Amino acid sequence: MVLVIIVVMSVQGLANLRNQWSIMGEFSNIPQEELLEWIKANTKPDDVFAGAMPTMASVKLSAERPVVNHPHYEDAGLRARTKLVYSMYSRKTAEEVKWNLMKLEVDYFVLEDSWCTRRTRPGCSMPEIWDIEDPHNVGKTPICTLLAINPQPHFVKVFENNVYSVLKLTKDT
């Protein structure tokens, strides 16, 4: 009896596998593809990138560029680096954010407006989360909002589409 059950389950299991294998689909994220193609064509292989961790995984995998924060690794050093990177979504000054990124030897920051403005509920946007960590700057405009409008003099916008902006750190200020 057990053997009959196993055989019937195997037949159904194989049918399910064949069905799943026959599904032809394609993931498409045109803005990210544009970003990655721009990075590959316009930056050096040793240029260092920072930004939101999900995007940095794609930059590392698809553009083969060094990143300072990656979602597939976890340790105290990564948490500290990510906190410095995510200061871009705080209300700190552009100079302080740039200094944080320069400490990490970052050349480019991939800015995603949604990380700056997305708010699933009150108190959950990145700037509001930073308000808990940095109460001194509560009430100021988030630096990501200001830099999206005018990144100078600490950054230069070198790429932009409807989702991503790439800010290059100016090394002379």
Side-chain angles (χ1 to χ4, degrees), residues 22-169:
S22 71
I23 296 172
M24 298 300 278
E26 181 178 319
F27 174 76
S28 180
N29 182 342
I30 300 301
Q32 190 172 77
E33 291 175 25
E34 291 171 348
L35 168 70
L36 297 171
E37 289 302 319
W38 181 88
I39 289 171
K40 289 191 283 189
N42 295 283
T43 65
K44 297 179 290 199
D46 60 344
D47 283 338
V48 178
F49 284 79
M53 284 203 288
T55 304
M56 291 304 96
S58 295
V59 169
K60 177 73 174 160
L61 177 66
S62 298
E64 300 178 332
R65 297 299 189 269
V67 299
V68 296
N69 56 327
H70 192 287
H72 298 137
Y73 305 106
E74 175 63 30
D75 63 30
L78 174 68
R79 287 190 296 276
R81 287 192 309 274
T82 299
K83 185 175 180 182
L84 291 175
V85 169
Y86 283 11
S87 68
M88 178 64 80
Y89 302 106
S90 72
R91 301 174 198 275
K92 296 180 182 300
T93 65
E95 186 173 26
E96 187 174 351
V97 170
K98 178 185 174 184
W99 177 248
N100 286 340
L101 296 173
M102 288 183 74
K103 284 192 283 188
L104 298 173
E105 300 182 21
V106 170
D107 297 299
Y108 295 93
F109 189 93
V110 179
L111 181 62
E112 298 175 59
D113 185 59
S114 66
W115 278 69
C116 190
T117 59
R118 181 176 42 211
R119 185 177 192 221
T120 56
R121 60 180 180 251
C124 290
S125 70
M126 287 294 280
E128 291 169 320
I129 293 169
W130 266 101
D131 289 347
I132 297 165
E133 179 71 25
D134 186 21
H136 175 73
N137 288 312
V138 171
K140 295 180 180 176
T141 303
I143 191 59
C144 49
T145 300
L146 296 174
L147 292 176
I149 297 165
N150 181 14
Q152 303 216 352
H154 301 289
F155 301 87
V156 175
K157 191 179 294 184
V158 293
F159 171 84
E160 182 176 37
N161 65 19
N162 63 334
V163 175
Y164 303 99
S165 297
V166 177
L167 304 179
K168 182 173 182 163
L169 279 72

